[in-house]
Amino acid sequence: MEEETHTDAKIRAENGTGSSPRGPGCSLRHFACEQNLLSRPDGSASFLQGDTSVLAGVYGPAEVKVSKEIFNKATLEVILRPKIGLPGVAEKSRERLIRNTCEAVVLGTLHPRTSITVVLQVVSDAGSLLACCLNAACMALVDAGVPMRALFCGVACALDSDGTLVLDPTSKQEKLQQCLAAAQAASQHVFRFYRESLQRRYSKS
Amino acid sequence: MKETPLSNCERRFLLRAIEEKKRLDGRQTYDYRNIRISFGTDYGCCIVELGKTRVLGQVSCELVSPKLNRATEGILFFNLELSQMAAPAFEPGRQSDLLVKLNRLMERCLRNSKCIDTESLCVVAGEKVWQIRVDLHLLNHDGNIIDAASIAAIVALCHFRRPDVSVQGDEVTLYTPEERDPVPLSIHHMPICVSFAFFQQGTYLLVDPNEREERVMDGLLVIAMNKHREICTIQSSGGIMLLKDQVLRCSKIAGVKVAEITELILKALENDQKVRKEGGKFGFAESIANQRITAFKMEKAPIDTSDVEEKAEEIIAEAEPPSEVVSTPVLWTPGTAQIGEGVENSWGDLEDSEKEDDEGGGDQAIILDGIKMDTGVEVSDIGSQELGFHHVGQTGLEFLTSDSEEEEMIILEPDKNPKKIRTQTTSAKQEKAPSKKPVKRRKKKRAAN
C-alpha cells in the first residue's frame, strides 16, 4: 500500500506539473475502516485513507451540563486533537465545520437535553485530513447508534495550476499545488493594500 | 460528564474475588494483559495496547536554542494527554489531579533516569540543540495508564529518527530525509513502569490492575525499572503502609516483568525495521485485522471525473441565488444605531452573577473606607448619604456589575439628566451635588484610591 501510494503520487505529481491533464483518471487512495475498537466510548471508528488515519470516539446521548443544554434537541460537541502540540485555531475551524455537518444530519430532536460528543484524534496526517475526519466521525456515529437522517462523507479535492483536478490529494500534492503559491502572491497584494491605506491615514500630509 | 459511581455490590464482589485469588478476566495475580505494539508510517509514531487500554505516542524534534544553564544539552519535553474519548469523565477542567500525577511520573521515569543521551542532541554549543518532544495521547482507559504510557513513550523514542546534521567549522548543514537517512536517538536503557495495586490494607496485591480493580484498590505502587534491574523511579500512592519485604518482593516481580516486556519491544522494533528495509507494507493500515467483521478495507478506487464540468454547470443553474442579507440600520437616538440582530449572549449566567455580587461589594467597601479615612467628621453626613445611596443603588436597581465600567447603558441627551446612575462613580457625583469644598477632598480621595 505504501509503495502504491508513492508511485501514484509520483505519477500524479508529474501530471500535475507537466503535460497531460488527468481528467478521467482520478482515483481515491486505499480505504480502511475499523469500528468498535475502543471499549469506553459508545461508538468508535478508525478511518484510514492511504496513510492518513483518524480515530473517532462518540459518547451519546449522555448527560449535559445545565449551561449547555438545549431544551428541544441534543447538544452536539466536536473535539479535534492534533497529534503534536496543543490544539490551535485550525483545529477550531475544522471542529466547527464538522459540527455543522453533523448537526445537519443527526436527529437531535429525538434526544432533547442530552449531549452527543464526538472526539477525533489525528493518528497520522498525509493529506486530506479534514475529509478523513468527516468520514471517521460518520462511521463512529453509526457505530454508536445515534439516529441520523442521512450519512455524510468528505472528499478532498485540489486544483492544479493547469486546472486539473486531483481527488484525495496526498500531503505532497497539497503542497505542490500552486494554489499555495498563488495564494501567497495574492496575500502580498492584500498586505500592500493594508500598508497603503494605513499610510494614507496616518501620514501627516 | 460525571463518572458513574461504582455500586456497593460490585465493589464487594471484586474484593471477595480478590481475596479468593480470582480476577474478573481470569488472569493470575502476577499476569500482565496482552501487549500489542503497532507502528505508523512516519518514524516515531506508535500505538500500544495493554489489554483494552490504548495509548498513541508520537515523537517530534525541532532545533531550538538551549537552556542557559545547560548550553550543551538537548531538551526533552513530555506531554501526556488524557483524551476525552478515553473515558467520559475526562473533561478539560476535571482531570487535573490524575493528569499532573501521571505527567510527573512520566518525567521522573524518562528524564531523571537519563535514558536518552542529551549531550548527543547538541548541534552548536550554546546556540542550537535538538528539542525532542514526546506526545502521548490516551485513547481508551481500561486501567493502568502509566504502564501503557511508559511503554508507548520508550517505543516511540526507540523508533524515532531525527534528521542528520553535519557541522564543519562554522557551517551547519541540516539534511532532509531524502538527502541522508535520518539518524536514531542514542538511548542508553529502556525504563518501563510496572504497577502494583494493593487491597485490604496491603494484604493482597495485583499486577497490572484494570479499570474496575483500580477503583476498589487501596493504594498503588509504581516501580520503573530497566532490564539491567536498575530501579529508575519508585512511587507509592494512596497512603497505604507497605512493609520492607513487600516492596522488595514487588521489585523482584517488576524485574521479571520488565525483562519480558523489553524483549517484546525489541522484537516489535526489529520486525518493523525489517519490513521497512524489505520495502514491504507497513503502517497502521496493516495492523487492522482482515478477518474481523468490524473492519473493512477497500482498494484504490478510480473515479471518473470526465463529466464534472457539465454537472457543475447544472448545479449552478439549478441553485437559487443566496438570499440578500442587507438589513437597514435602525436609529435609536442620535449617536446610537443598530444594524441587524445580535445573537443571544451565550456566556453562562450562573457563574457571572455570583462573581458580580462579590466584586460589587468589594468596590463599595474600598470607596467607603477611602472617604472615611481622609475626611473625618465633615463628611460623615455626606458619607451616610452616600451609604444610603449605595444601598438604594443595590436594592433599587437590578444591575449586573462586572469588571467593566459600563454595566448600564446611559443614553445621554444634552438637555436631560442621566436617567440611571453608575455605582462606581456614584460617590463622585454625590460629592459634586451637596458642597463645593470638593477639590481637596476629591484629590485626596483619588490619592487614596
Side-chain angles (χ1 to χ4, degrees), chain B residues 348-408:
Chain B
D349 283 342
L350 294 166
E351 298 101 274
D352 278 352
S353 56
E354 277 167 34
K355 265 193 221 160
E356 287 144 12
D357 287 334
D358 290 341
E359 272 184 41
D363 282 343
Q364 288 167 1
I366 294 169
I367 296 171
L368 286 172
D369 282 345
I371 297 164
K372 283 187 190 151
M373 203 167 66
D374 45 28
T375 49
V377 188
E378 293 174 285
V379 192
S380 54
D381 50 341
I382 298 175
S384 56
Q385 261 189 32
E386 287 172 350
L387 251 177
F389 221 90
H390 276 293
H391 280 306
V392 168
Q394 218 164 1
T395 53
L397 303 167
E398 197 79 48
F399 56 78
L400 303 162
T401 50
S402 57
D403 349 10
S404 74
E405 292 285 318
E406 308 184 30
E407 60 284 320
E408 277 179 321

Side-chain angles (χ1 to χ4, degrees), chain B residues 129-401:
Chain B
V129 298
W130 285 112
Q131 173 177 316
I132 303 291
R133 191 196 162 102
V134 183
D135 282 286
L136 300 161
H137 300 271
L138 179 69
L139 302 174
N140 196 40
H141 178 27
D142 197 33
N144 208 1
I145 301 173
I146 188 62
D147 285 19
S150 75
I151 297 175
I154 203 65
V155 166
L157 283 165
C158 290
H159 191 247
F160 180 63
R161 304 273 180 273
R162 65 166 172 82
D164 197 6
V165 179
S166 73
V167 184
Q168 278 157 337
D170 272 342
E171 236 184 69
V172 178
T173 335
L174 180 66
Y175 297 104
T176 61
E178 285 88 35
E179 290 171 13
R180 267 209 210 171
D181 275 342
V183 160
L185 299 173
S186 98
I187 296 179
H188 295 309
H189 60 96
M190 303 209 285
I192 293 173
C193 294
V194 178
S195 302
F196 300 87
F198 287 93
F199 304 85
Q200 313 286 37
Q201 314 308 322
T203 330
Y204 302 101
L205 114 81
L206 287 181
V207 174
D208 187 18
N210 71 12
E211 203 252 332
R212 290 272 174 252
E213 290 162 356
E214 270 187 359
R215 288 233 212 159
V216 299
M217 73 183 174
D218 287 336
L220 185 73
L221 175 70
V222 179
I223 301 181
M225 221 189 229
N226 61 23
K227 71 170 184 206
H228 309 293
R229 303 181 62 83
E230 297 167 334
I231 291 184
C232 308
T233 296
I234 184 164
Q235 171 172 308
S236 159
S237 55
I240 38 154
M241 316 262 267
L242 290 174
L243 300 170
K244 187 176 66 177
D245 55 334
Q246 273 177 315
V247 179
L248 277 174
R249 195 157 47 106
C250 288
S251 62
K252 286 203 187 97
I253 300 169
V256 172
K257 293 295 163 194
V258 165
E260 288 170 13
I261 296 174
T262 311
E263 218 183 279
L264 188 84
I265 292 176
L266 290 172
K267 219 183 337 171
L269 284 165
E270 210 185 284
N271 272 347
D272 180 71
Q273 194 154 5
K274 205 165 45 157
V275 168
R276 276 176 204 253
K277 219 189 265 190
E278 290 168 4
K281 300 182 180 184
F282 55 91
F284 290 126
E286 296 312 308
S287 52
I288 292 186
N290 273 329
Q291 286 75 35
R292 287 200 202 149
I293 56 169
T294 52
F296 191 64
K297 288 192 197 181
M298 196 169 79
E299 294 306 320
K300 265 171 25 58
I303 311 269
D304 188 11
T305 54
S306 45
D307 55 349
V308 157
E309 281 184 25
E310 295 149 11
K311 280 205 182 144
E313 277 167 30
E314 273 178 36
I315 294 172
I316 293 173
E318 283 175 27
E320 293 165 7
S323 53
E324 302 270 312
V325 198
V326 176
S327 43
T328 52
V330 178
L331 190 67
W332 293 108
T333 60
T336 312
Q338 178 182 341
I339 304 177
E341 301 272 316
V343 195
E344 203 182 301
N345 192 347
S346 59
W347 293 0
D349 283 342
L350 294 166
E351 298 101 274
D352 278 352
S353 56
E354 277 167 34
K355 265 193 221 160
E356 287 144 12
D357 287 334
D358 290 341
E359 272 184 41
D363 282 343
Q364 288 167 1
I366 294 169
I367 296 171
L368 286 172
D369 282 345
I371 297 164
K372 283 187 190 151
M373 203 167 66
D374 45 28
T375 49
V377 188
E378 293 174 285
V379 192
S380 54
D381 50 341
I382 298 175
S384 56
Q385 261 189 32
E386 287 172 350
L387 251 177
F389 221 90
H390 276 293
H391 280 306
V392 168
Q394 218 164 1
T395 53
L397 303 167
E398 197 79 48
F399 56 78
L400 303 162
T401 50

